[in-house]
Amino acid sequence: MRRPALYLAGLVVVACATLAACTTPHPAGPPDARQAIAADMRDMLAAYRKIIVLTAGQDAMPPPQRELVNRVGKQLFHDNQQRRARIDAALAELVHSGQAGRFEQAGALLSEVGSDPALHDADRLAFRETLAALYDEVAGEAGPQAVRLHKRLAQDLQALDDIERAYDKELHAAFDPLGQAMIAPRREKWDSYVAWLASRYRREDILKEAGVQLPPAQPTPAEIFGTRLPPKTVALTFDDGPHRVYSEQIAAILAKYKVPAVFFTVGQNIGSIGKDGAPHLNGGADISRKLRAAGYVLGNHSMTHAQLTKLTGERLKAEILDTDLLLRTLDPQRSILFRFPYGDRNAEGKRVVADARLLSVMWNVDSLDWSDPVPASITQRVMTTLHQEGRGIILFHDIHQQTVKALPLVLDRLAAEGYRFAGWDGSDFTVPAGR
């Protein structure tokens, strides 16, 4: 695959490549701060690679192993979300600091991590969200250096889109978009990248490093699973939001297709609980209000997306009940739906959920959109699983750009193959009348 001209081998070098005043570069903040950001970026790429190694070839895994690797992969992903938040905040602070040479500093800081010529095209997709966030921050700044940096970022974001489209093209050419049966795609280029990753990381080592155990064997009948839906029926669910951009974009796509959905909300994304026990909503709650006003259902996805099987007592209750309080503040008629982070639950967690008069909702079709940067691959995975299951609750996440891009592809396939869309009516997942 031709490598697009990304100036930061993996992100963007906007310092010495585009700005003439780079002969005497300014240091980007204190050395320890630069080292911390650079370390976060290196760790972010390593975790991204491990996620791909963990989830590659899932179709051949027995269900217990598949659940295990997905759980570990999701933990790696959420660790990466925290790293990305730290990186984005540090770069935003630098861009808006007003200090001379701050735009060169931002580029130089990125280049410290991205100058490795061994990075692959697929590696570059790991940094797209960081690049997009920096693009948004620079947009509000004035001056010729800001304009140059903003233009360079736009070009590199376009180059990343070209990389994604190249992988998409491999997959689109491999299966019939209207047929009932999926044809196994030939993913030579992507497979070459995955094979290279497998030479550096072993799935067994990643699992051992995480120190995980097999998840609980059997769920209780009190939970809702997609297997109880009628044949050729699906319910769409989106976890981990709301996101400042992608949640509303996803809602707009759903509205275009007239499809219901449930958005499982992480409490800290919409507010906090004060020392006095009072709820305080933040800007994320405004997005959730819009989702609710548009007819979508809001569910509880814990306060911090912690692995609840590792918590007990008051800490466990707070994860569930604090988010419930925030959702009640936002919408007194909030739904009773709850989803355990990572799908990990035990007897104590289930008891707290039941005592709060909430209902646990699991899934049986996992898009793995958090692990896969290629929208066509996400689409293929959803349809392949549905062909095996015949029905299901589909797990997406409304915090990824690739989900926004994959969703119309999935909806087109589902509609073409005659699937019906079920929504939560307050007591069960049902297909609205007239559909």
Side-chain angles (χ1 to χ4, degrees):
M1 181 184 300
R2 180 183 63 86
R3 291 181 178 267
L6 282 171
Y7 276 77
L8 180 130
L11 282 176
V12 54
V13 171
V14 292
C16 295
T18 60
L19 302 178
C22 66
T23 53
T24 56
H26 303 272
D32 56 342
R34 294 201 309 274
Q35 292 171 2
I37 297 174
D40 268 341
M41 294 179 73
R42 286 190 294 270
D43 290 344
M44 187 165 69
L45 176 60
Y48 165 89
R49 289 170 166 176
K50 289 179 181 179
I51 287 168
I52 293 174
V53 172
L54 273 175
T55 56
Q58 273 211 4
D59 293 345
M61 298 179 191
Q65 184 182 2
R66 188 182 312 133
E67 293 178 13
L68 176 63
V69 299
N70 284 348
R71 191 178 79 186
V72 174
K74 288 176 183 177
Q75 183 63 60
L76 287 170
F77 163 75
H78 281 282
D79 290 344
N80 256 2
Q81 290 292 95
Q82 295 177 5
R83 293 186 186 101
R84 181 174 293 121
R86 290 195 297 266
I87 294 168
D88 291 352
L91 290 175
E93 181 179 1
L94 174 62
V95 165
H96 301 309
S97 66
Q99 59 182 282
R102 61 190 186 277
F103 302 111
E104 297 99 315
Q105 292 177 38
L109 177 59
L110 295 179
S111 68
E112 288 181 19
V113 176
S115 58
D116 184 358
L119 288 177
H120 292 232
D121 281 347
D123 289 330
R124 293 172 166 83
L125 296 176
F127 300 109
R128 179 162 52 186
E129 299 293 342
T130 294
L131 205 58
L134 182 59
Y135 176 86
D136 290 341
E137 297 295 341
V138 176
E141 296 292 317
Q145 293 178 342
V147 171
R148 292 191 190 101
L149 176 54
H150 196 253
K151 181 179 179 181
R152 184 68 260 167
L153 288 167
Q155 292 172 343
D156 287 324
L157 284 168
Q158 180 60 53
L160 290 175
D161 285 342
D162 290 342
I163 292 173
E164 178 193 286
R165 279 192 293 269
Y167 287 124
D168 255 345
K169 186 176 180 181
E170 291 180 32
L171 298 176
H172 275 306
F175 61 86
D176 176 7
L178 295 178
Q180 293 291 323
M182 300 286 289
I183 300 174
R186 296 182 62 197
R187 300 175 58 177
E188 292 85 0
K189 296 178 183 177
W190 179 258
D191 283 345
S192 296
Y193 173 66
V194 175
W196 177 78
L197 288 181
S199 69
R200 296 174 59 101
Y201 303 95
R202 296 175 64 247
R203 180 182 287 126
E204 294 77 8
D205 293 338
I206 298 171
L207 295 175
K208 183 178 179 181
E209 185 179 291
V212 299
Q213 296 179 351
L214 284 174
Q218 294 296 331
T220 65
E223 296 178 298
I224 291 183
F225 285 84
T227 51
R228 63 195 296 271
L229 292 173
K232 299 286 283 191
T233 303
V234 297
L236 305 186
T237 63
F238 297 85
D239 288 9
D240 294 4
H243 186 275
R244 60 187 179 85
V245 175
Y246 301 142
S247 296
E248 291 186 77
Q249 291 180 353
I250 286 172
I253 295 170
L254 295 171
K256 178 181 177 181
Y257 285 82
K258 299 181 180 179
V259 173
V262 178
F263 289 82
F264 284 98
T265 305
V266 174
Q268 65 184 6
N269 292 342
I270 63 170
S272 60
I273 305 297
K275 294 182 179 179
D276 59 354
H280 302 277
L281 299 179
N282 60 27
D286 293 334
I287 299 174
S288 291
R289 285 194 186 95
K290 292 179 182 178
L291 296 175
R292 186 70 186 92
Y296 302 106
V297 174
L298 303 181
N300 183 333
H301 197 37
S302 83
M303 191 65 184
T304 66
H305 206 284
Q307 188 173 340
L308 299 189
T309 53
K310 295 183 177 181
L311 304 181
T312 60
E314 294 305 312
R315 289 185 62 196
L316 172 61
K317 291 180 180 179
E319 283 286 336
I320 297 168
L321 300 183
D322 286 357
T323 301
D324 189 49
L325 177 57
L326 290 170
L327 287 171
R328 286 178 180 273
T329 304
L330 188 152
D331 177 15
Q333 304 301 318
R334 66 89 175 95
S335 78
I336 63 171
L337 303 182
F338 179 85
R339 174 163 284 165
F340 284 94
Y342 314 106
D344 282 355
R345 57 236 188 270
N346 57 16
E348 185 180 2
K350 292 177 184 179
R351 186 167 58 250
V352 174
V353 169
D355 289 346
R357 297 187 178 181
L358 299 174
L359 180 63
S360 172
V361 179
M362 294 299 291
W363 63 88
N364 63 313
V365 180
D366 194 342
S367 70
L368 296 182
D369 53 352
W370 52 271
S371 71
D372 194 335
V374 185
S377 177
I378 296 170
T379 304
Q380 172 208 340
R381 181 177 300 106
V382 169
M383 297 310 301
T384 298
T385 307
L386 272 176
H387 292 154
Q388 297 168 351
E389 297 281 321
R391 70 204 77 191
I393 295 175
I394 307 176
L395 171 62
F396 291 107
H397 299 79
D398 56 325
I399 60 172
H400 305 301
Q401 187 182 63
Q402 59 261 35
T403 306
V404 178
K405 294 181 178 181
L407 185 57
L409 306 178
V410 173
L411 294 177
D412 284 339
R413 285 296 307 261
L414 292 172
E417 296 191 16
Y419 282 88
R420 300 183 304 165
F421 298 92
W424 179 253
D425 65 4
S427 60
D428 205 350
F429 281 98
T430 59
V431 177
R435 290 196 60 84

